[in-house]
Amino acid sequence: MKTHAIMKTRIYFTPIFLYLLSVIFVSCMQEKPSTSLKLWYEEPAQEWVEAMPIGNGRLGAMVFGRTSDELIQLNEESLWTGGPVELNPNPDAPKYLPPLRQALFDEDYAKANDLSKKMQGKYTQSYAPMGDIHIQQQYEGEVSEYYRDLDINSSIATTSFKANGVKYTREVFASAPDQVIVVRLKADKKGMLNFDSQFSSLLKHRLEDKDNNTIILNGRAPAHAEPNYLGNINEAIVYKDDEGMRFQMICKAKTSDGDLTTDQEGLHIRNATEVCLYISAASSFNGFDKCPFKEGKDEQQIASNFLDKAYAKTYQQILKTHQIDYKNLFDRVSFELQLDENAENINTTQRLEDYLRGGDDKYLEMLYFQYNRYLLISCSRSGGIAANLQGIWNKEMRPPWSANYTTNINAQMNYWPAEITNLSELHEPFLKQIQNMAINGKETAKNFYGMEGWCLHHNSDIWAQTNPVGNLGQGDPVWANWMMGAPWVSQHLFEHYAFTGDIEYLSKEAYPVMKGAAEFVLNWLVEDKDGYLITAPSTSPENTFIDPQGKNRSVSVAMTCDMVLIHDLFTNLIESSIALDTDKDFRALLQEKLTKLYPLQIGAKGNLLEWHKDFEDSYPHHRHISHLIGLHPGRQISPLKTPKLAEATRRSLELRGDEGTGWALAWKINTWARLLEGDHAYLLLRNLLRVTGNRSTEYNNSGGSYRNLFCAHPPFQIDGNFGGLAGMTEMLLQSQLPEIHLLPALPQAWANGEVRGLCARNGFEVDIKWKDQKLVKANILSKLGRTCILRTDLPINVKDAAFKTEKVESLVNNKNKTYFITSFDSEKGKHYQISMKQ
């Protein structure tokens, strides 16, 4: 393998002088070329979860790298089944709330479960596959020197092999500036490239050829698709003449020599040396509240406009603008660990298998960190659709869990790393999705509960579904009837402000939506016999307890996850109100209600209780740890501020165990890092990176990673990738408290290293270098000019700033720990160099 240094210049959307200062400091911190980061293999993909994902946020593809029968599977982010949601599918729902609450006060959990089913709406729709490109390449002789890779430094997938003395190469990338996917095929000997290319789709479609170099696929998505977990049922896929999203996919070929023809069978290339395929696509999606069939956009015009503009450019022109755009995002952060000299010379399959057997592989860990940033860049771009359960990659008509937005953890986890890994603008599609859900959620609050504000349950889709799913009583309340989605997704609205300091965004976008979520919560809360405010009904997502009669139950009151999410929402709103100097009466109301929330409880086992009472868990090793939200992603619990509660969360984690699905392992990495236990977090990272060939649905165990590093639930869920990345950053930097904690949970395995470009709340960007597990130096860029507070293990100096340091003793994880709290006033746009006191 050749080593390619990544671009050293990190580009920011800030004034030019900030950019120049950052370049100067990076050159000081940089001591060696950055590592070439590639997933590479010596065999083609046999399974979808071994193919290489590419994407530009809107268009996605899975590249298999086969020699004679290449498959490139395509997606478009807005291509979903269905249309705008039915806002009041269950008009009788509100009348069941009073008897449901009474059943809970009587502790009749069976009756409460039955009544909850009567308050359900309809299922969400599904993310749909767009189509496939099949390339039948003709060559003579046996294949040798096979190689394929995904270069995440430059965002391009390459396949190469030799046959009969000719080297054949394919390169595939998805350009965001030009909004096309480009496939370049070439032979190193003139006239030796011969192939046929066919196009297909699982959706209803028709093919046409045009201008002797173009194939057009016009299609339509179903009006409805039932969730895959319902199994094989009649009319699982429903088409209707006047419903369903339209789409178009176009492929246009360009070649400088050879013969190019088209017909209904596809494209035909003979005796060429190099061919470029330009692929464009679009759907008729026109917003979450508009019928894509009757009120849709002109997908044909959109697709052809993108294609015509791109086709006028050369391959090199499109590649150059693609890589400038991509590297502007990707190169903002680098992560380097001390590597062996030949670390890059092991193929990904081999290194995953060695890692599974206990081998040390810091290159794999670095690769995984940046691969997950690559995935977020590839599937979530500003102005687009939020990344779903599979990002933008899906090959199924009824994908696992409809590839929708599961808002009781998974949709949120997708965006945990966006701000801290310097990809803030990629957060925007999810923030927009939240605003759409708030609009529909207002109707759900009124129609299902007769209440003000807005609410969200555990599933949503591109149509911003917010009702409790379950198909009018068929769903299990353990997952269907969870009402706290709005407080949890609202956390993302506040976090975007916390990192960026964008006061206009807070005022005009975030605060009104957060307030609407709080208005529903204020309506929803009721007083218990002791005067505490509780939620009733309440579930802990997808988990059950054992009631006094020995029965598994799910519906009760005041689940811990509810109470910590409400605490988080109220706290964030209070801080926002202060920042905006507005809504003082509402702020006072929230402050009053905050003091009356049902308090967190510690059980007989020393654990933080998940339930209202100290019930036994039906599944002690359950994948969800929703009761620990106050530790992560919240900030109510911390070993530095609330040691007793932190110790209770530790005990809860111990009782849960270290196994779980892929995304569950990722969540646990974050929680152990928040407990400042880096070695335990690292152990779970190793579990997350264990290679698996399991493609069945396992709900509690067997999680890990597929050979292309997609997270295995199993099956594939991309939130595990993003949660894993977030957990790795939590080991290096934390800022959820009013301070920046440098290297808070650094594992022994990462004794020497460097990270650059991570972001901290209050508008700081941080570079850190360490050796022998101790901080060597750091750089802090102040983007907002706020006071900077640093927590370090050893005393530090701050160059060119008046600073003060306080030595503090803390009992952390039952051990005495000394920290140094250093603070100084910063200037906007200025770098501050941190060094250790001698």
Side-chain angles (χ1 to χ4, degrees):
M1 291 177 58
K2 295 181 180 179
T3 300
H4 302 279
I6 66 170
M7 184 183 292
K8 306 304 185 297
T9 304
R10 288 181 286 148
I11 302 173
Y12 306 96
F13 295 109
T14 53
I16 190 65
F17 69 89
L18 294 184
Y19 163 64
L20 293 173
L21 285 173
S22 68
V23 172
I24 292 169
F25 181 76
V26 167
S27 66
C28 295
M29 287 283 286
Q30 188 90 3
E31 295 180 356
K32 62 185 179 66
S34 294
T35 306
S36 172
L37 296 171
K38 295 183 179 181
L39 288 75
W40 67 278
Y41 307 82
E42 296 178 287
E43 69 284 323
Q46 300 301 314
E47 303 280 350
W48 187 81
V49 288
E50 296 172 359
M52 296 291 89
I54 63 165
N56 63 12
R58 190 177 68 87
L59 301 176
M62 295 292 285
V63 183
F64 281 66
R66 297 172 181 171
T67 55
S68 60
D69 59 342
E70 172 65 303
L71 171 62
I72 301 175
Q73 184 263 313
L74 300 166
N75 290 102
E76 201 274 351
E77 66 172 356
S78 65
L79 185 56
W80 288 64
T81 65
V85 301
E86 183 181 351
L87 294 173
N88 193 15
N90 187 356
D92 289 336
K95 73 181 184 183
Y96 295 106
L97 183 58
L100 170 54
R101 285 180 164 170
Q102 187 58 53
L104 291 170
F105 298 149
D106 295 338
E107 300 187 7
D108 189 342
Y109 302 117
K111 184 177 181 181
N113 189 84
D114 292 340
L115 289 169
S116 293
K117 289 186 174 185
K118 297 182 181 297
M119 302 183 70
Q120 294 174 0
K122 295 185 177 180
Y123 290 122
T124 66
Q125 293 299 328
S126 296
Y127 182 53
M130 182 170 64
D132 296 332
I133 296 180
H134 307 266
I135 299 174
Q136 277 83 43
Q137 187 166 340
Q138 294 94 46
Y139 51 81
E140 296 180 354
E142 297 295 320
V143 169
S144 64
E145 298 183 32
Y146 178 88
Y147 173 87
R148 70 180 173 106
D149 72 26
L150 175 64
D151 186 341
I152 62 172
N153 289 122
S154 57
S155 184
I156 186 167
T158 301
T159 303
S160 66
F161 59 93
K162 280 189 174 181
N164 199 30
V166 181
K167 182 176 181 180
Y168 297 98
T169 304
R170 299 190 206 111
E171 297 166 327
V172 188
F173 65 89
S175 166
D178 287 293
Q179 285 298 305
V180 292
I181 291 173
V182 179
V183 183
R184 181 170 73 162
L185 304 95
K186 60 181 180 179
D188 71 348
K189 292 185 179 180
K190 186 174 178 61
M192 296 302 294
L193 186 62
N194 299 279
F195 67 88
D196 300 302
S197 186
Q198 288 84 38
F199 306 87
S200 64
S201 176
L202 295 177
L203 306 180
K204 284 189 174 181
H205 68 279
R206 56 183 174 82
L207 289 166
E208 61 180 281
D209 61 300
K210 178 183 178 183
D211 299 334
N212 219 35
N213 66 353
T214 305
I215 294 293
I216 301 173
L217 186 152
N218 289 295
R220 188 156 57 90
H224 178 69
E226 294 286 3
N228 75 307
Y229 48 79
L230 296 184
N232 295 323
I233 59 175
N234 293 329
E235 296 187 336
I237 302 295
V238 178
Y239 284 93
K240 294 184 180 180
D241 291 340
D242 59 349
E243 295 183 32
M245 195 179 300
R246 302 184 307 273
F247 70 97
Q248 183 178 84
M249 180 174 73
I250 315 174
C251 180
K252 191 170 186 177
K254 181 187 289 188
T255 180
S256 58
D257 64 356
D259 299 319
L260 167 61
T261 60
T262 62
D263 55 29
Q264 286 294 307
E265 298 298 317
L267 290 163
H268 310 285
I269 305 292
R270 296 293 181 268
N271 306 318
T273 307
E274 180 178 314
V275 177
C276 285
L277 305 180
Y278 293 72
I279 302 160
S280 179
S283 81
S284 62
F285 180 70
N286 194 25
F288 76 100
D289 55 352
K290 292 182 174 63
C291 174
F293 187 84
K294 299 174 183 177
E295 305 170 274
K297 291 183 178 180
D298 186 340
E299 73 285 358
Q300 298 183 13
Q301 182 181 44
I302 296 170
S304 62
N305 283 347
F306 283 137
L307 182 67
D308 291 344
K309 291 177 181 178
Y311 193 79
K313 301 177 183 180
T314 67
Y315 174 85
Q316 292 299 334
Q317 287 174 325
I318 295 179
L319 178 64
K320 182 178 180 180
T321 56
H322 157 65
Q323 292 186 338
I324 289 173
D325 166 78
Y326 170 75
K327 291 172 79 62
N328 173 46
L329 295 164
F330 183 79
D331 286 358
R332 295 176 186 177
V333 171
S334 65
F335 176 47
E336 302 278 347
L337 297 172
Q338 188 173 18
L339 300 178
D340 295 333
E341 186 174 344
N342 297 318
E344 300 172 37
N345 299 327
I346 305 172
N347 70 61
T348 304
T349 296
Q350 185 62 53
R351 67 171 64 252
L352 281 168
E353 291 174 354
D354 291 346
Y355 199 77
L356 182 64
R357 291 189 289 266
D360 177 53
D361 194 339
K362 295 181 179 62
Y363 179 89
L364 177 62
E365 292 157 6
M366 290 166 45
L367 177 66
Y368 187 70
F369 181 97
Q370 291 287 35
Y371 174 70
N372 293 332
R373 292 184 69 246
Y374 162 86
L375 290 178
L376 188 57
I377 295 169
S378 300
C379 73
S380 182
R381 289 295 190 104
S382 181
I385 307 300
N388 62 55
L389 201 61
Q390 295 184 187
I392 52 171
W393 299 281
N394 166 47
K395 67 181 177 68
E396 308 284 353
M397 281 293 289
R398 297 170 67 199
W401 301 284
S402 303
N404 61 22
Y405 303 110
T406 306
T407 50
N408 66 17
I409 173 60
N410 312 102
Q412 292 90 333
M413 188 181 284
N414 275 4
Y415 287 92
W416 283 353
E419 301 290 343
I420 193 171
T421 67
N422 218 329
L423 298 171
S424 181
E425 59 268 57
L426 306 190
H427 205 171
E428 184 267 336
F430 187 52
L431 303 179
K432 178 61 177 176
Q433 173 73 12
I434 295 169
Q435 293 175 354
N436 294 343
M437 293 188 296
I439 294 171
N440 282 350
K442 187 175 180 65
E443 298 302 311
T444 297
K446 178 177 65 177
N447 294 331
F448 277 77
Y449 307 115
M451 295 182 182
E452 299 298 316
W454 72 278
C455 65
L456 168 68
H457 298 78
H458 103 293
N459 268 175
S460 190
D461 54 21
I462 197 172
W463 311 110
Q465 173 72 280
T466 56
N467 70 211
V469 301
N471 203 28
L472 305 175
Q474 295 179 17
D476 191 332
V478 72
W479 43 264
N481 297 90
W482 178 73
M483 295 79 175
M484 289 294 113
W488 200 346
V489 298
S490 291
Q491 184 182 80
H492 285 259
L493 301 170
F494 181 79
E495 285 287 83
H496 184 63
Y497 162 72
F499 277 90
T500 65
D502 188 338
I503 202 75
E504 183 177 5
Y505 155 82
L506 179 66
S507 174
K508 294 182 178 180
E509 298 181 42
Y511 187 82
V513 177
M514 293 162 60
K515 183 176 180 180
E519 288 170 339
F520 173 77
V521 168
L522 291 170
N523 276 263
W524 186 253
L525 289 167
V526 294
E527 282 195 6
D528 70 3
K529 59 183 177 58
D530 297 316
Y532 288 118
L533 292 176
I534 63 170
T535 53
S538 177
T539 62
S540 192
E542 305 187 35
N543 201 4
T544 61
F545 60 90
I546 300 175
D547 74 3
Q549 287 71 47
K551 302 292 186 180
N552 290 345
R553 303 299 185 195
S554 59
V555 185
S556 183
V557 302
M559 299 299 191
T560 296
C561 67
D562 285 9
M563 308 319 296
V564 294
L565 285 170
I566 293 169
H567 184 282
D568 185 83
L569 175 63
F570 286 5
T571 302
N572 292 343
L573 269 167
I574 290 167
E575 292 187 16
S576 300
S577 172
I578 293 171
L580 295 170
D581 191 23
T582 189
D583 234 354
K584 294 181 180 178
D585 291 342
F586 189 68
R587 183 198 315 164
L589 176 64
L590 294 178
Q591 289 169 329
E592 175 198 350
K593 300 297 184 182
L594 199 58
T595 63
K596 297 180 66 177
L597 292 179
Y598 186 77
L600 303 182
Q601 304 289 319
I602 297 176
K605 298 175 183 176
N607 57 313
L608 187 72
L609 290 189
E610 182 167 2
W611 322 106
H612 178 246
K613 295 184 177 181
D614 201 353
F615 294 127
E616 287 293 324
D617 297 325
S618 303
Y619 306 99
H621 299 150
H622 196 270
R623 61 196 176 277
H624 282 258
I625 49 173
S626 304
H627 54 311
L628 307 186
I629 290 170
L631 174 68
H632 183 277
R635 53 188 171 132
Q636 185 178 353
I637 300 173
S638 162
L640 298 172
K641 304 298 182 183
T642 58
K644 289 184 178 179
L645 289 174
E647 187 59 28
T649 62
R650 167 199 286 275
R651 182 61 182 143
S652 291
L653 284 167
E654 290 171 347
L655 292 170
R656 273 294 199 265
D658 290 339
E659 287 300 321
T661 61
W663 63 263
L665 294 171
W667 195 355
K668 290 175 184 178
I669 295 170
N670 286 271
T671 53
W672 280 105
R674 284 281 176 95
L675 287 174
L676 310 180
E677 289 280 10
D679 288 333
H680 204 127
Y682 177 77
L683 170 67
L684 292 166
L685 174 64
R686 290 193 64 97
N687 288 349
L688 183 59
L689 276 167
R690 61 191 174 199
V691 64
T692 178
N694 189 348
R695 287 158 182 78
S696 64
T697 299
E698 296 286 344
Y699 285 97
N700 291 304
N701 297 307
S702 303
S705 297
Y706 294 115
R707 295 184 187 279
N708 67 356
L709 296 187
F710 270 176
C711 181
H713 179 296
F716 164 53
Q717 285 186 201
I718 205 167
D719 48 302
N721 289 94
F722 297 139
L725 171 59
M728 295 176 81
T729 61
E730 291 284 344
M731 295 152 77
L732 301 171
L733 181 75
Q734 293 181 20
S735 64
Q736 72 277 7
L737 304 179
E739 60 195 31
I740 301 172
H741 194 165
L742 302 180
L743 305 179
L746 186 69
Q748 295 181 56
W750 296 350
N752 303 295
E754 184 176 353
V755 66
R756 296 186 301 277
L758 294 183
C759 293
R761 293 164 182 84
N762 283 313
F764 295 100
E765 186 173 314
V766 184
D767 300 345
I768 313 169
K769 185 170 184 177
W770 64 94
K771 185 177 182 180
D772 297 329
Q773 283 201 288
K774 294 181 180 179
L775 178 67
V776 173
K777 59 182 177 181
N779 176 73
I780 311 292
L781 168 62
S782 175
K783 296 181 178 180
L784 300 174
R786 295 181 178 178
T787 298
C788 182
I789 306 173
L790 300 175
R791 180 182 289 265
T792 57
D793 290 348
L794 296 170
I796 60 173
N797 284 312
V798 183
K799 187 178 180 181
D800 298 328
F803 65 93
K804 58 182 179 180
T805 299
E806 177 187 3
K807 182 179 180 180
V808 297
E809 303 290 339
S810 302
L811 184 66
V812 179
N813 301 323
N814 294 317
K815 297 177 183 177
N816 292 320
K817 177 74 174 178
T818 301
Y819 289 108
F820 296 87
I821 310 298
T822 302
S823 61
F824 59 93
D825 293 330
S826 73
E827 297 178 25
K828 183 178 180 180
K830 185 175 179 179
H831 285 268
Y832 295 89
Q833 297 185 32
I834 310 300
S835 60
M836 307 312 298
K837 281 191 175 180
Q838 301 299 320

